[in-house]
Amino acid sequence: MRFSKVFKDELDHGYAILRMNELGRDFALIASEENRPCYAYDLDDNYRRIVVWPDVGGTMTMVQLPGTLDFLATQRFYPGFNSKTCRIVHAHFNGKDWDVKPIADTPYIHRFDIIKHDGGFWFVGCSIANSKKFTDDWSDPGKVFVGDYDPVADCLKDVRELDIRITKNHGYRRETPTTSLITGHEGIFRLHYPQDDEDWRIERLAEEETSDIAMIDIDGDGHQEYLAIQGFHGDHLRLYDDRFRTLDATEGGSPFGHAIDSEMLFGRPYFLFGYRGGDQELMTIEAPDRKMHKTVIESGVGPSNVTVFRKDGEDYLLSANRESNSIAIYRITDEVN
C-alpha cells in the first residue's frame, strides 16, 4: 500500500480526532490537549478550516451524537494528568459552525462514550485517577462510571460508579454492540452493557499492564485478534488471540506508544500504530502468520490518535501527529494488485 499525504495543517499538541459524515456534510476534526483550538475541516470544500473553539482545549475524547453533526467532548484535561477541572461540553452544529456549552463536570475523565440503545443513550466514563496531589500521583485509582445521556435536557443523568478501580486507565474501545474494552495497570477489562434484567458487568481478560488496544481478525481465521500497547504509554506491543493468549510480542523499540486502530484495506486486515518517542513513527502492522510485520508510513510525526475513513470511493488515514504539531490526511492506494 501507498500512503500519500494530501493535506496538512498546524495545531499545537493535536490529540483527539473525529470524522463526521452526516446530513449531507462531511468534516474531519482535531482538538488540542493543551489550551489551544479545536478545528473542523470541510472535506467537501477543499479542507476549509472552521474554528469549533479557539482555546480551552485539553480534549482527550470527542464522540459524535448519532444522526447529527453534534458531538460531546472533554475539555480541561490538563496540566498533564492532574485534571481535576475536566468537563464535558456539547458542540451543537448550527449550520455554519458549532455552538459550545459545558454540560457536566467530570474530574479526571480521560475517555468516555455515548452508546445508543433502544431506550435512549448510555454514558460510560473512565477516569485516569480519582484524585491527585501531583501529576505523577497514582495512589487513588480511577473509576468506571455509567449512566444515561438525556438529549432533551442535554445532561448526564443517574451517573454511578461500578465496583472496580483501575490505575492509570488510558484506553477505551467499543468492541461489539454489547461490549467495550477498558485498559489500565491491572490489565484488560471487558465492560458488558445491560441486557434484559442484567446490570452493567465488567470482567478481566488479561493481567498485563495495557495502555491502549485495538482488534481485528488479523489472520483470517474467523476470530478477532487484539493488539495491545503494553505498559502505560509503553514501548512494546502484544498480539493476543480471542482468548487473550499471547501470539506475539515485541520488546521495546516504540517508546511512548499511543495511536492504535484497525481497518480492512483493499480486502486485507491491518492494525495502525504510532508512538510519540524515539523515531516517532506511524506504521501499519500485518500478521497473517500471527507474527507482527511492520511497515512505516512516516517517521518524525509522533501520532496521538489515528483513524481510517472512506470518501468518494477512496480510503484515507486521518492522523493527529502530535509531536510535529500537525494534523495530516493521507490517501491510501493499493500497490499490491
Side-chain angles (χ1 to χ4, degrees), residues 302-317:
S304 53
N305 286 288
V306 294
T307 192
V308 170
F309 66 91
R310 190 163 183 81
K311 182 169 180 60
D312 299 332
E314 294 190 288
D315 292 308
Y316 295 86
L317 172 64

Side-chain angles (χ1 to χ4, degrees), residues 50 60 85 97 125 140 200 220 240 277 306 333:
I50 303 168
M60 300 289 104
T85 63
D97 52 22
D140 191 3
W200 297 88
Y240 294 99
V306 294
T333 53

Side-chain angles (χ1 to χ4, degrees), residues 4-300:
S4 305
K5 191 180 294 183
V6 295
F7 176 73
K8 178 182 177 181
D9 195 17
E10 295 183 358
L11 177 61
D12 183 41
H13 293 81
Y15 189 95
I17 53 175
L18 180 65
R19 190 272 181 116
M20 296 196 296
N21 182 18
E22 196 67 63
L23 305 177
R25 303 295 299 273
D26 202 351
F27 298 99
L29 290 87
I30 183 171
S32 173
E33 68 172 294
E34 299 294 338
N35 187 11
R36 303 289 291 154
C38 172
Y39 293 141
Y41 299 90
D42 192 331
L43 300 181
D44 292 320
D45 190 9
N46 197 32
Y47 303 103
R48 179 174 62 90
R49 188 173 77 184
I50 303 168
V51 178
V52 181
W53 56 73
D55 48 28
V56 184
T59 301
M60 300 289 104
T61 302
M62 297 190 287
V63 179
Q64 183 178 3
L65 294 179
T68 77
L69 286 168
D70 290 15
F71 66 95
L72 304 186
T74 50
Q75 287 185 337
R76 295 180 176 173
F77 195 89
Y78 48 61
F81 299 114
N82 198 3
S83 48
K84 186 177 181 179
T85 63
C86 181
R87 66 186 185 183
I88 291 177
V89 300
H90 181 174
H92 169 66
F93 187 65
N94 58 29
K96 179 182 178 182
D97 52 22
W98 284 263
D99 300 317
V100 182
K101 71 169 186 177
I103 65 168
D105 294 323
T106 52
Y108 303 100
I109 293 288
H110 182 260
R111 302 290 190 205
F112 77 92
D113 200 4
I114 301 296
I115 303 162
K116 184 176 174 57
H117 63 98
D118 289 342
F121 298 91
W122 286 315
F123 166 78
V124 175
C126 304
S127 60
I128 201 165
N130 188 55
S131 67
K132 280 176 171 288
K133 296 181 176 67
F134 49 89
T135 297
D136 291 324
D137 174 21
W138 302 105
S139 62
D140 191 3
K143 298 179 180 180
V144 177
F145 298 92
V146 296
D148 298 291
Y149 168 68
D150 183 337
V152 176
D154 200 13
C155 67
L156 304 182
K157 297 175 62 176
D158 302 323
V159 176
R160 58 189 170 94
E161 60 192 65
L162 298 183
D163 187 21
I164 190 170
R165 303 293 293 274
I166 301 176
T167 309
K168 298 182 182 180
N169 161 245
H170 190 271
Y172 171 92
R173 185 170 297 271
R174 219 181 283 188
E175 182 189 27
T176 73
T178 60
T179 61
S180 291
L181 300 176
I182 300 171
T183 60
H185 175 78
E186 290 82 4
I188 302 169
F189 299 85
R190 177 175 285 141
L191 176 67
H192 296 262
Y193 310 160
Q195 298 293 317
D196 300 322
D197 294 329
E198 191 174 82
D199 197 6
W200 297 88
R201 181 168 58 88
I202 195 163
E203 62 172 325
R204 186 158 71 169
L205 305 172
E207 297 183 358
E208 291 84 7
E209 181 180 32
T210 302
S211 189
D212 292 272
I213 194 167
M215 62 277 177
I216 198 169
D217 180 6
I218 197 67
D219 59 0
D221 68 348
H223 300 278
Q224 294 269 48
E225 282 76 40
Y226 298 80
L227 184 66
I229 301 172
Q230 301 271 253
F232 181 62
H233 291 158
D235 64 354
H236 52 290
L237 297 169
R238 187 178 299 271
L239 181 65
Y240 294 99
D241 68 8
D242 62 340
R243 296 175 63 184
F244 285 85
R245 298 173 297 194
T246 298
L247 300 175
D248 193 19
T250 64
E251 293 296 332
S254 54
F256 213 124
H258 206 286
I260 192 166
D261 204 358
S262 58
E263 191 62 59
M264 293 292 297
L265 295 169
F266 308 103
R268 302 183 296 276
Y270 293 88
F271 288 109
L272 296 141
F273 171 64
Y275 60 95
R276 289 167 44 186
D279 292 332
Q280 300 177 349
E281 292 175 324
L282 170 63
M283 65 180 69
T284 63
I285 297 177
E286 296 178 89
D289 56 357
R290 296 189 161 194
K291 301 294 182 183
M292 289 179 273
H293 304 277
K294 303 174 182 178
T295 302
V296 175
I297 298 170
E298 189 171 12
S299 299

